[in-house]
Amino acid sequence: MVENVKDILFTQKDAAPFAFDADVSRVFEDMIQRSVPGYGLTLQMISVIAGLYAQENSKLYDLGCSLGASSLALAHGIKVDDCEIIGVDNSAAMLEKCRSNTQQSPVTIVLQQDDIQNTVIEDASVVVLNFTLQFIAKEARLLLLKRIYKGMRKGGVLVLSEKVCFVGAFEQQQHIALHESFKKAQGYSELEVSRKRQSLENVLIPEPISAHHARLKTAGFDEVQTWFQCFNFTSMLAYKR
Ligand code: GEK
Protein backbone atom coordinates (compact mmCIF):
# COMPACT_ATOMS: atom_id res chain seq x y z
CA MET A 1 0.00 0.00 0.00
CA VAL A 2 1.06 3.58 -0.63
CA GLU A 3 1.81 5.39 2.65
CA ASN A 4 -1.07 7.17 4.37
CA VAL A 5 -0.21 10.90 4.43
CA LYS A 6 -2.08 13.16 6.89
CA ASP A 7 -4.61 15.50 5.28
CA ILE A 8 -3.66 19.10 6.10
CA LEU A 9 -4.72 20.44 2.67
CA PHE A 10 -7.20 22.98 3.96
CA THR A 11 -4.79 24.43 6.52
CA GLN A 12 -2.82 25.65 3.49
CA LYS A 13 -5.15 26.38 0.62
CA ASP A 14 -8.35 28.36 0.44
CA ALA A 15 -11.70 27.13 -0.66
CA ALA A 16 -11.32 26.74 -4.45
CA PRO A 17 -13.75 24.19 -5.96
CA PHE A 18 -12.74 20.70 -4.86
CA ALA A 19 -10.92 18.54 -7.42
CA PHE A 20 -9.45 15.03 -7.23
CA ASP A 21 -5.96 16.22 -8.20
CA ALA A 22 -2.46 15.09 -7.20
CA ASP A 23 -2.60 16.96 -3.84
CA VAL A 24 -5.85 15.23 -2.91
CA SER A 25 -4.66 11.81 -4.10
CA ARG A 26 -1.64 12.07 -1.76
CA VAL A 27 -3.83 12.51 1.36
CA PHE A 28 -7.06 10.87 0.19
CA GLU A 29 -6.93 7.77 2.36
CA ASP A 30 -6.59 9.85 5.54
CA MET A 31 -9.08 12.45 4.27
CA ILE A 32 -11.93 10.03 3.61
CA GLN A 33 -11.41 8.10 6.84
CA ARG A 34 -11.51 11.29 8.94
CA SER A 35 -14.32 12.93 6.94
CA VAL A 36 -16.87 10.18 6.28
CA PRO A 37 -18.32 8.60 9.42
CA GLY A 38 -18.74 4.87 8.79
CA TYR A 39 -16.49 4.77 5.71
CA GLY A 40 -14.51 1.81 7.14
CA LEU A 41 -17.76 -0.02 7.82
CA THR A 42 -18.93 0.47 4.22
CA LEU A 43 -15.69 -1.16 3.02
CA GLN A 44 -16.06 -4.05 5.45
CA MET A 45 -19.66 -4.62 4.32
CA ILE A 46 -18.80 -4.32 0.61
CA SER A 47 -16.70 -7.44 1.22
CA VAL A 48 -19.62 -9.18 2.92
CA ILE A 49 -21.97 -8.11 0.10
CA ALA A 50 -19.54 -9.43 -2.53
CA GLY A 51 -19.38 -12.70 -0.59
CA LEU A 52 -23.14 -13.11 -0.82
CA TYR A 53 -23.96 -11.68 -4.26
CA ALA A 54 -20.93 -12.10 -6.54
CA GLN A 55 -21.90 -14.68 -9.16
CA GLU A 56 -19.51 -17.09 -10.84
CA ASN A 57 -17.96 -15.82 -14.07
CA SER A 58 -19.45 -12.34 -13.67
CA LYS A 59 -18.12 -8.78 -13.50
CA LEU A 60 -18.05 -6.51 -10.46
CA TYR A 61 -17.79 -2.76 -10.99
CA ASP A 62 -16.33 -0.16 -8.64
CA LEU A 63 -17.43 3.17 -10.12
CA GLY A 64 -15.36 6.08 -8.77
CA CYS A 65 -12.75 3.70 -7.42
CA SER A 66 -10.33 6.39 -6.09
CA LEU A 67 -7.36 4.58 -4.53
CA GLY A 68 -8.97 1.15 -4.86
CA ALA A 69 -10.31 0.57 -1.33
CA SER A 70 -13.72 -0.70 -2.49
CA SER A 71 -12.20 -2.73 -5.34
CA LEU A 72 -9.96 -4.48 -2.82
CA ALA A 73 -12.91 -4.97 -0.47
CA LEU A 74 -14.76 -6.69 -3.34
CA ALA A 75 -11.70 -8.78 -4.21
CA HIS A 76 -11.33 -10.05 -0.64
CA GLY A 77 -15.04 -10.85 -0.31
CA ILE A 78 -15.66 -12.84 -3.50
CA LYS A 79 -16.27 -16.52 -2.82
CA VAL A 80 -16.88 -17.78 -6.39
CA ASP A 81 -14.59 -18.41 -9.36
CA ASP A 82 -13.77 -16.47 -12.50
CA CYS A 83 -14.87 -12.97 -11.47
CA GLU A 84 -13.34 -9.80 -12.81
CA ILE A 85 -13.41 -6.43 -11.03
CA ILE A 86 -13.50 -3.25 -13.10
CA GLY A 87 -12.45 -0.08 -11.29
CA VAL A 88 -13.27 3.22 -13.01
CA ASP A 89 -12.22 6.75 -12.11
CA ASN A 90 -11.73 9.89 -14.19
CA SER A 91 -8.83 11.22 -12.08
CA ALA A 92 -5.41 10.22 -13.42
CA ALA A 93 -3.79 11.06 -10.08
CA MET A 94 -6.17 8.82 -8.12
CA LEU A 95 -5.84 5.96 -10.61
CA GLU A 96 -2.06 6.06 -10.53
CA LYS A 97 -2.09 5.35 -6.79
CA CYS A 98 -4.92 2.87 -7.25
CA ARG A 99 -2.78 0.90 -9.68
CA SER A 100 -0.02 0.34 -7.15
CA ASN A 101 -2.50 -0.26 -4.27
CA THR A 102 -4.31 -3.03 -6.17
CA GLN A 103 -1.29 -4.88 -7.54
CA GLN A 104 -1.51 -7.68 -4.97
CA SER A 105 -5.27 -8.22 -5.35
CA PRO A 106 -6.41 -11.86 -5.11
CA VAL A 107 -8.88 -11.20 -7.98
CA THR A 108 -7.99 -9.41 -11.24
CA ILE A 109 -8.80 -5.71 -11.06
CA VAL A 110 -8.92 -3.94 -14.43
CA LEU A 111 -8.61 -0.17 -14.09
CA GLN A 112 -10.14 2.28 -16.55
CA GLN A 113 -9.63 6.04 -16.62
CA ASP A 114 -12.99 7.31 -17.76
CA ASP A 115 -16.09 9.19 -16.79
CA ILE A 116 -18.36 6.59 -15.17
CA GLN A 117 -21.16 7.97 -17.36
CA ASN A 118 -19.37 6.37 -20.33
CA THR A 119 -18.54 3.02 -18.70
CA VAL A 120 -20.04 0.02 -20.43
CA ILE A 121 -21.70 -2.08 -17.73
CA GLU A 122 -22.29 -5.69 -18.72
CA ASP A 123 -22.80 -9.04 -17.05
CA ALA A 124 -22.48 -7.46 -13.60
CA SER A 125 -23.42 -9.21 -10.38
CA VAL A 126 -22.26 -6.44 -8.03
CA VAL A 127 -21.89 -2.72 -8.78
CA VAL A 128 -20.49 -0.29 -6.21
CA LEU A 129 -20.98 3.48 -6.15
CA ASN A 130 -19.29 4.19 -2.81
CA PHE A 131 -19.70 7.97 -2.38
CA THR A 132 -19.44 8.71 -6.13
CA LEU A 133 -22.96 9.43 -7.45
CA GLN A 134 -22.93 12.60 -5.32
CA PHE A 135 -20.36 14.06 -7.77
CA ILE A 136 -22.52 13.42 -10.86
CA ALA A 137 -24.89 16.19 -12.02
CA LYS A 138 -28.36 15.53 -10.59
CA GLU A 139 -30.03 15.46 -13.99
CA ALA A 140 -27.57 12.76 -15.21
CA ARG A 141 -28.05 10.38 -12.28
CA LEU A 142 -31.15 8.55 -13.54
CA LEU A 143 -29.58 7.68 -16.89
CA LEU A 144 -26.48 6.27 -15.16
CA LEU A 145 -28.59 4.16 -12.79
CA LYS A 146 -30.71 2.88 -15.69
CA ARG A 147 -27.54 1.81 -17.54
CA ILE A 148 -26.26 0.07 -14.39
CA TYR A 149 -29.58 -1.75 -13.95
CA LYS A 150 -29.58 -2.83 -17.60
CA GLY A 151 -26.02 -4.18 -17.32
CA MET A 152 -26.72 -6.23 -14.23
CA ARG A 153 -27.57 -9.91 -13.99
CA LYS A 154 -30.71 -11.04 -12.21
CA GLY A 155 -29.88 -11.57 -8.55
CA GLY A 156 -27.35 -8.75 -8.71
CA VAL A 157 -27.03 -5.79 -6.36
CA LEU A 158 -25.95 -2.17 -6.49
CA VAL A 159 -24.33 -0.67 -3.39
CA LEU A 160 -25.01 3.07 -3.34
CA SER A 161 -23.33 5.06 -0.56
CA GLU A 162 -23.97 8.79 -0.40
CA LYS A 163 -23.76 11.93 1.66
CA VAL A 164 -27.41 12.94 1.99
CA CYS A 165 -29.48 15.92 3.06
CA PHE A 166 -32.79 16.18 4.87
CA VAL A 167 -36.04 17.92 4.00
CA GLY A 168 -36.73 19.17 7.55
CA ALA A 169 -34.63 22.24 8.43
CA PHE A 170 -34.03 21.11 12.03
CA GLU A 171 -32.98 17.59 11.03
CA GLN A 172 -30.68 18.99 8.33
CA GLN A 173 -29.05 21.46 10.75
CA GLN A 174 -28.48 18.82 13.41
CA HIS A 175 -26.92 16.31 11.00
CA ILE A 176 -24.56 18.96 9.66
CA ALA A 177 -23.61 19.97 13.22
CA LEU A 178 -23.05 16.33 14.16
CA HIS A 179 -20.93 15.68 11.07
CA GLU A 180 -18.83 18.78 11.70
CA SER A 181 -18.35 17.75 15.34
CA PHE A 182 -17.23 14.33 14.08
CA LYS A 183 -14.65 16.03 11.85
CA LYS A 184 -13.35 18.15 14.72
CA ALA A 185 -13.11 15.04 16.88
CA GLN A 186 -10.97 13.58 14.06
CA GLY A 187 -8.54 16.49 14.41
CA TYR A 188 -9.75 18.96 11.75
CA SER A 189 -9.87 22.63 12.84
CA GLU A 190 -12.86 24.94 12.48
CA LEU A 191 -11.05 26.66 9.57
CA GLU A 192 -10.32 23.39 7.75
CA VAL A 193 -13.95 22.29 8.16
CA SER A 194 -15.34 25.56 6.82
CA ARG A 195 -12.91 25.77 3.88
CA LYS A 196 -13.72 22.17 2.88
CA ARG A 197 -17.46 22.90 3.17
CA GLN A 198 -17.11 25.86 0.76
CA SER A 199 -14.84 23.93 -1.55
CA LEU A 200 -17.41 21.13 -1.94
CA GLU A 201 -20.33 23.48 -2.60
CA ASN A 202 -21.84 22.73 -6.03
CA VAL A 203 -19.30 19.91 -6.45
CA LEU A 204 -20.77 17.35 -4.04
CA ILE A 205 -24.55 17.56 -4.37
CA PRO A 206 -26.44 15.60 -1.70
CA GLU A 207 -30.08 14.58 -1.98
CA PRO A 208 -32.58 13.14 0.53
CA ILE A 209 -32.63 9.36 1.02
CA SER A 210 -36.22 9.32 -0.29
CA ALA A 211 -35.07 10.87 -3.60
CA HIS A 212 -32.43 8.13 -3.99
CA HIS A 213 -34.94 5.37 -3.26
CA ALA A 214 -37.45 6.81 -5.72
CA ARG A 215 -34.83 7.21 -8.46
CA LEU A 216 -33.48 3.68 -7.98
CA LYS A 217 -37.03 2.35 -8.38
CA THR A 218 -37.56 4.47 -11.50
CA ALA A 219 -34.28 3.09 -12.88
CA GLY A 220 -35.80 -0.39 -12.64
CA PHE A 221 -34.53 -1.81 -9.35
CA ASP A 222 -37.08 -4.11 -7.73
CA GLU A 223 -36.15 -3.56 -4.06
CA VAL A 224 -34.22 -0.79 -2.33
CA GLN A 225 -33.04 -0.88 1.27
CA THR A 226 -31.03 1.50 3.39
CA TRP A 227 -28.61 -0.77 5.25
CA PHE A 228 -26.49 1.93 6.90
CA GLN A 229 -26.84 5.48 8.16
CA CYS A 230 -24.59 7.59 10.35
CA PHE A 231 -25.61 11.26 10.53
CA ASN A 232 -25.79 12.50 6.91
CA PHE A 233 -24.00 9.50 5.40
CA THR A 234 -25.85 6.48 4.19
CA SER A 235 -25.54 3.34 2.14
CA MET A 236 -28.28 1.56 0.22
CA LEU A 237 -28.68 -1.76 -1.52
CA ALA A 238 -30.69 -1.91 -4.73
CA TYR A 239 -31.68 -5.36 -6.02
CA LYS A 240 -32.37 -6.68 -9.50
CA ARG A 241 -34.55 -9.74 -8.93
C1 GEK B 1 -13.84 4.46 -2.05
N1 GEK B 1 -15.33 4.78 -3.95
O1 GEK B 1 -12.76 4.66 -1.49
N2 GEK B 1 -16.33 9.60 -13.45
C2 GEK B 1 -15.40 8.85 -12.84
N3 GEK B 1 -14.98 9.08 -11.57
C3 GEK B 1 -15.50 10.13 -10.94
C4 GEK B 1 -16.46 10.98 -11.53
C5 GEK B 1 -16.88 10.67 -12.84
N4 GEK B 1 -17.80 11.40 -13.47
N5 GEK B 1 -16.80 11.94 -10.63
C6 GEK B 1 -16.06 11.71 -9.53
N6 GEK B 1 -15.27 10.63 -9.71
C7 GEK B 1 -14.18 5.32 -3.24
C8 GEK B 1 -14.39 6.74 -2.82
S1 GEK B 1 -14.50 9.32 -3.80
C9 GEK B 1 -15.60 9.88 -2.60
C10 GEK B 1 -14.95 7.60 -3.91
C11 GEK B 1 -15.24 11.16 -1.91
C12 GEK B 1 -14.36 10.00 -8.75
C13 GEK B 1 -13.35 10.96 -8.14
O2 GEK B 1 -12.22 11.13 -8.96
C14 GEK B 1 -13.05 10.25 -6.82
O3 GEK B 1 -11.93 9.42 -6.93
C15 GEK B 1 -14.30 9.44 -6.53
O4 GEK B 1 -15.13 9.52 -7.68
C16 GEK B 1 -15.12 9.89 -5.34
O5 GEK B 1 -14.67 3.60 -1.68
O6 GEK B 1 -14.19 11.72 -2.17
O7 GEK B 1 -16.14 11.62 -1.08
Side-chain angles (χ1 to χ4, degrees), residues 7-207:
D7 169 26
I8 52 163
L9 274 190
F10 287 92
T11 60
Q12 297 150 347
K13 63 178 188 182
D14 63 12
F18 191 84
F20 292 95
D21 56 16
D23 287 343
V24 168
S25 75
R26 211 166 295 123
V27 301
F28 183 76
E29 194 179 346
D30 179 65
M31 173 186 276
I32 195 160
Q33 279 166 12
R34 292 199 291 131
S35 303
V36 176
Y39 171 70
L41 188 75
T42 64
L43 295 180
Q44 225 182 313
M45 294 312 147
I46 283 168
S47 269
V48 172
I49 290 162
L52 192 60
Y53 297 106
Q55 298 176 22
E56 204 169 301
N57 198 24
S58 70
K59 296 188 194 331
L60 291 83
Y61 289 83
D62 179 11
L63 302 177
C65 60
S66 299
L67 305 189
S70 294
S71 298
L72 285 170
L74 289 169
H76 288 286
I78 292 170
K79 292 199 170 75
V80 293
D81 292 329
D82 300 325
C83 288
E84 182 181 73
I85 297 165
I86 295 117
V88 186
D89 206 288
N90 62 357
S91 159
M94 299 295 271
L95 267 192
E96 193 187 320
K97 283 193 164 267
C98 185
R99 207 167 295 284
S100 71
N101 281 351
T102 53
Q103 255 166 18
Q104 309 294 327
S105 169
V107 175
T108 306
I109 300 177
V110 177
L111 296 178
Q112 297 176 359
Q113 188 187 341
D114 203 353
D115 188 319
I116 58 169
Q117 294 169 98
N118 300 329
T119 305
V120 176
I121 313 277
E122 56 189 7
D123 212 18
S125 58
V126 180
V127 179
V128 173
L129 279 164
N130 206 34
F131 305 106
T132 305
L133 191 69
Q134 58 198 18
F135 295 107
I136 302 294
K138 253 195 216 181
E139 55 281 7
R141 293 178 185 180
L142 178 59
L143 181 61
L144 174 60
L145 294 177
K146 278 185 173 167
R147 289 183 45 249
I148 292 172
Y149 178 81
K150 201 161 168 246
M152 274 173 47
R153 284 189 185 178
K154 279 199 167 157
V157 290
L158 165 68
V159 183
L160 174 62
S161 309
E162 287 280 290
K163 184 176 189 183
V164 293
C165 59
F166 298 87
V167 179
F170 180 76
E171 196 177 9
Q172 171 69 355
Q173 257 168 24
Q174 297 317 302
H175 280 294
I176 287 176
L178 285 162
H179 177 226
E180 294 192 352
S181 291
F182 165 81
K183 289 190 70 168
K184 286 180 203 152
Q186 298 296 309
Y188 286 114
S189 68
E190 185 84 45
L191 181 67
E192 286 174 286
V193 170
S194 87
R195 281 177 168 171
K196 177 87 177 284
R197 189 197 316 119
Q198 284 174 53
S199 162
L200 282 171
E201 237 164 70
N202 303 319
V203 176
L204 188 169
I205 300 149
E207 292 179 281

